[in-house]
Amino acid sequence: MSRTVEKSLAAIIAVAGFAAGALYWPEDNPAPSDPAPLPAPEDPVEPEEPAEPEAPAEPEAPAEPEEPTEPEAPAEPEEPAEPEEPEEPAEPEEPAEPAEPAEPTDHAGDVFTWLPAGDLVEDSGTGQTVAVNYVPDMRFPMEIARAFANSQVYGAGGYMGPAGGQCADSNYSYAWRDNFCETRGYGTPMCPAGTGHQGQDIRPATCTDAVHWAVAADSGTITSIGSYSVRLMSDDGVRYTYLHLDKSALEVEVGDTVSKGDRIGLVSNEFGGTATTIHLHFEIRMAVDTGGGAIENTHVPPYMALVESYQRLIDGTDS
Ligand SMILES: [Zn+2]
């Protein structure tokens, strides 16, 4: 046999042998021919594919939704801000002018005006320099408005006043004028001169004798009645003095207790002999610091208490 033939035979035998091996090789011996490593490497590759999910980077495109910035256009609805124009109703603030009724008018429709505390008639004395309401809850000492606080001596009809009788229109009109420190010889430590008038003069609504009621400025007790004076001590220790009431028509006696607003007597011109003008001379006496820290029981300027209680009377706050 030639070598070629030998080789061919060997090949044939080998093939046959392999075939036989494939047929009879025991299953439980897959050993080398089943090199498991093969499938393994291939698998891991596939998982890499999930890398593709990286594509979700594309979702970044949702950035585009930012375009919805256009919705900002709704800002346009802000234009309704124009309704701000209704602010023009601010003009209704003008009705604030009706607030001017704060300038109280009396029942005759006159606006109540008053000169500053301490502003006396020229050459009638030197007024106090402070404007204090010493009795903030005082009741105005006349039953009804109108009333006119001003000077008797330096007003028309007064012995130091201009021509014209006490019933002159100038005496029965506003503005009010303080006369607490008007020149007199009475000791009045609250006045710059140390002396003064001690009270405020007030004319009633009309120049008519004994028809206008003076009333209790506070609740208290009637402590004395003189020839032309009535004194009321309040429950708080403030003494009120009423001068020139009609002696024949007093509503009170010494020892009587009265309530704020009770009638005391009629405004007249009693002066223990020679008549004065028709008016109420009204005083407030109380313990007060007269300067230097000393507390003294003395007359205090009643002007601001009168102004403020009169305002309450004519605006209806006090009745
Ligand atoms: Zn007087």
Side-chain angles (χ1 to χ4, degrees), residues 21 63 71 123 169 249 287:
D123 296 329
D169 287 347

Side-chain angles (χ1 to χ4, degrees), residues 175-190:
W176 279 17
R177 190 149 209 174
D178 187 355
N179 79 331
F180 175 73
C181 291
E182 203 166 80
T183 300
R184 299 288 198 286
Y186 310 115
T188 313
M190 297 295 278

Side-chain angles (χ1 to χ4, degrees), residues 104 112 114 117 131-141 176 302-318:
F112 169 49
W114 47 280
V132 175
N133 181 345
Y134 290 92
V135 194
D137 58 351
M138 186 183 84
R139 204 285 187 193
F140 187 68
W176 279 17
Y303 192 69
M304 291 312 299
L306 289 167
V307 166
E308 293 178 17
S309 62
Y310 187 70
Q311 285 172 326
R312 290 194 298 273
L313 180 63
I314 61 181
D315 73 14
T317 310
D318 274 355

Side-chain angles (χ1 to χ4, degrees), residues 197 201 279 281:
H197 174 223
D201 293 330
H279 75 281
H281 169 106

Side-chain angles (χ1 to χ4, degrees), residues 193-253:
T195 57
H197 174 223
Q198 298 188 328
Q200 175 68 44
D201 293 330
I202 312 164
R203 299 179 202 263
T206 62
C207 188
T208 313
D209 185 26
V211 298
H212 305 287
W213 288 104
V215 298
D218 201 351
S219 300
T221 304
I222 303 301
T223 55
S224 80
I225 296 179
S227 59
Y228 58 95
S229 67
V230 174
R231 288 188 168 141
L232 161 63
M233 181 65 79
S234 82
D235 298 334
D236 297 327
V238 177
R239 194 188 75 181
Y240 300 96
T241 298
Y242 299 73
L243 301 189
H244 317 309
L245 300 180
D246 181 351
K247 266 172 59 178
S248 65
L250 294 181
E251 286 287 303
V252 295
E253 295 179 350

